[in-house]
């Protein structure tokens, strides 16, 4: 008699050319990730070869019951680390049957910005530092914390090792490898300042792919925590008090910034970001006011300040960038629950297309 794990791990390529494609999309809250699977006749390597599909938008908060059909448009393909073989994950965006992007489709506008000739010529690079918190399923309290109580103060947990300091490493490493298998440009992981909180980094990615890859990396993490029986939280301040919040620091550069004389281009870009500070904050995630307090390595939400090697700034420039006169900068304002399509395209729009005059 086969065990359940034997059937889950069946290699379909031994008996059929058919493959399983998991279609993924962003749900009605803007943070919930939905997916469903379908069978395809054979391997596919390009999204344009994939059929469009549909789902019941009234069940995801994205359409009324009397006109509930929402169309899934495949945009990017990744290898499926759960089913393996030729199985794929398909990142989609969502449209009405008439072909209009639905309100929660933030990818559509981002793609227009990144396809602008002026933006495309600058070859925008992004590296996103996604922080998150692991919670116990039954009590929604951080992993490793005494139930109803608190661990010792922050200090020993950042990049730590040991059963009394690092909680959930098996999940973190499983996610790291799953991302690499899928083809995500994950560049690293680390334990964060608050116990039970971790970070992974995606990038450098060019243009719209930064959003695609971060959403799929989030999906993989949701699936892995599901298997582990742990709740994943992207809340920017999951625990009130003297505990660090969770952000999604976004590192950014253009071709001009990476070229000789790029430091002046960086300073001009930062000046533009400062002039549009309120607009960016409004688009940088829900509940960010609980995180951006001027404490715990943040700038106050109402203040825009930049500096070299300053982790209490809105924008941080690295020492290497200052020294070499070219490079990148880090926007430290985005919350952990931000939409990467919105944040990356808005940074590109403000620094390349927006005219402050």
């Amino acid at each position: 008699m086969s065990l359940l794990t034997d059937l889950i791990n069946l290699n379909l390529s031994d008996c059929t050319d058919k493959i399983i494609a998991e279609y993924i999309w962003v749900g009605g809250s803007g943070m919930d990730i939905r997916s469903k699977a379908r069978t395809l006749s054979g391997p596919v390597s390009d999204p344009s070869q994939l059929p469009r599909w549909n789902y019941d938008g009234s069940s995801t908060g994205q359409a009324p019951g009397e006109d509930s059909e929402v169309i899934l448009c495949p945009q990017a393909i990744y290898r499926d680390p759960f089913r393996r073989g030729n199985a794929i994950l398909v990142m989609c965006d969502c449209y009405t049957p008439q072909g209009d992007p639905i309100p929660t489709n933030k990818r559509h506008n981002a793609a227009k910005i990144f396809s602008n000739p002026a933006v495309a010529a600058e070859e925008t690079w992004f590296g996103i530092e996604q922080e998150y918190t692991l919670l116990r399923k039954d009590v929604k309290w951080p992993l490793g914390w005494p139930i109803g109580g608190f661990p010792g103060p922050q200090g020993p947990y950042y990049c730590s090792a040991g059963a009394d300091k690092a909680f959930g490493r098996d999940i973190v490493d499983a996610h790291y490898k799953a991302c690499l298998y899928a083809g995500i440009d994950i560049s690293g992981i680390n334990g964060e300042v608050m116990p039970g909180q971790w970070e992974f980094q995606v990038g450098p990615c060019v243009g719209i792919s930064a959003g695609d890859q971060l959403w799929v990396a989030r999906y993989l993490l949701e699936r892995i925590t599901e298997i582990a029986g742990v709740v994943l939280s992207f809340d920017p301040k999951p625990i009130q008090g003297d505990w660090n919040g969770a952000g999604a620091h976004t590192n950014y550069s253009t071709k001009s910034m990476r070229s000789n004389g790029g430091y002046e281009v960086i300073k001009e870009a930062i000046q533009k970001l400062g002039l549009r500070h309120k607009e960016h904050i409004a688009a940088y995630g829900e509940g960010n006011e609980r995180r951006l307090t001027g404490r715990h390595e943040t700038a106050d939400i109402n203040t825009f300040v930049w500096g070299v090697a300053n982790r209490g700034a809105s924008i941080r420039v690295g020492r290497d960038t200052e020294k070499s006169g070219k490079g990148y900068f880090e926007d430290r304002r985005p919350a952990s629950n931000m939409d990467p399509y919105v944040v990356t395209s808005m940074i590109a729009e403000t620094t390349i297309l927006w005219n402050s005059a």
Side-chain angles (χ1 to χ4, degrees):
M1 177 66 69
S2 295
L3 298 175
L4 184 61
T5 53
D6 295 330
L7 297 173
I8 290 172
N9 293 322
L10 278 175
N11 185 353
L12 296 181
S13 61
D14 290 341
C15 60
T16 181
D17 291 330
K18 294 180 180 180
I19 70 162
I20 301 173
E22 189 81 24
Y23 280 44
I24 303 166
W25 70 96
V26 180
S29 74
M31 266 308 293
D32 56 316
I33 308 174
R34 309 292 181 124
S35 75
K36 62 176 184 173
R38 67 182 298 165
T39 304
L40 302 176
S41 60
V44 177
S45 59
D46 191 289
S48 64
Q49 300 171 334
L50 289 166
R52 293 190 174 193
W53 205 8
N54 64 74
Y55 66 93
D56 171 17
S58 68
S59 296
T60 62
Q62 293 172 295
E66 64 273 14
D67 187 15
S68 64
E69 189 170 291
V70 178
I71 307 302
L72 290 169
C73 183
Q75 298 292 354
I77 293 175
Y78 302 90
R79 292 183 294 274
D80 186 340
F82 304 107
R83 296 187 176 105
R84 296 185 286 266
N86 291 319
I88 56 175
L89 304 174
V90 183
M91 189 65 207
C92 304
D93 61 353
C94 305
Y95 296 82
T96 66
Q98 293 73 38
D100 299 316
I102 65 173
T104 53
N105 179 356
K106 306 304 182 185
R107 190 187 192 280
H108 179 78
N109 185 64
K112 288 199 295 185
I113 291 171
F114 285 119
S115 63
N116 182 290
V119 177
E122 283 290 352
E123 297 174 11
T124 53
W125 289 5
F126 295 93
I128 302 174
E129 306 170 26
Q130 176 68 71
E131 295 178 336
Y132 60 93
T133 308
L134 300 175
L135 307 176
R136 293 174 186 244
K137 184 179 178 181
D138 49 351
V139 293
K140 303 291 179 69
W141 199 238
L143 210 62
W145 289 38
I147 295 178
F150 297 87
Q154 296 183 152
Y157 310 108
Y158 173 70
C159 296
S160 63
D164 59 342
K165 295 180 285 294
F167 311 113
R169 190 184 299 276
D170 53 346
I171 293 171
V172 175
D173 278 350
H175 177 249
Y176 198 170
K177 290 184 177 181
C179 284
L180 288 171
Y181 180 95
I184 301 294
D185 291 319
I186 186 169
S187 48
I189 56 96
N190 61 268
E192 269 304 329
V193 177
M194 190 185 87
Q197 195 174 85
W198 295 81
E199 172 185 300
F200 66 89
Q201 303 94 34
V202 169
C205 303
V206 179
I208 195 71
S209 68
D212 290 337
Q213 292 198 36
L214 190 72
W215 274 117
V216 174
R218 284 173 170 177
Y219 172 79
L220 293 175
L221 189 53
E222 288 277 16
R223 288 283 304 276
I224 290 165
T225 52
E226 172 191 325
I227 293 167
V230 171
V231 174
L232 171 62
S233 172
F234 290 113
D235 191 300
K237 187 71 174 180
I239 304 295
Q240 294 302 307
D242 195 16
W243 305 99
N244 274 35
H249 301 158
T250 302
N251 299 274
Y252 170 69
S253 72
T254 64
K255 188 175 182 180
S256 298
M257 294 175 191
R258 298 187 296 270
S259 303
N260 290 335
Y263 195 44
E264 291 304 313
V265 181
I266 288 173
K267 289 192 287 186
E268 291 171 8
I270 293 173
Q271 183 180 23
K272 288 183 175 182
L273 289 169
L275 293 172
R276 296 192 75 197
H277 177 62
K278 288 185 178 180
E279 292 96 322
H280 278 256
I281 287 295
Y284 273 17
E286 295 295 325
N288 214 7
E289 72 282 352
R290 293 181 282 118
R291 168 179 161 262
L292 297 181
T293 62
R295 300 182 62 212
H296 305 112
E297 302 181 42
T298 70
D300 181 83
I301 194 168
N302 297 310
T303 304
F304 182 87
V305 59
W306 76 277
V308 177
N310 182 0
R311 295 185 182 275
S314 311
I315 305 289
R316 181 184 69 86
V317 175
R319 289 285 183 201
D320 287 344
T321 295
E322 180 189 44
K323 184 178 179 180
S324 63
K326 58 185 177 181
Y328 70 97
F329 64 82
E330 174 192 44
D331 191 338
R332 298 178 61 81
R333 297 171 296 173
S336 51
N337 60 5
M338 62 81 156
D339 188 320
Y341 293 134
V342 173
V343 169
T344 57
S345 62
M346 193 173 192
I347 291 173
E349 181 184 38
T350 295
T351 59
I352 300 172
L353 301 179
W354 186 67
N355 187 349
S356 60

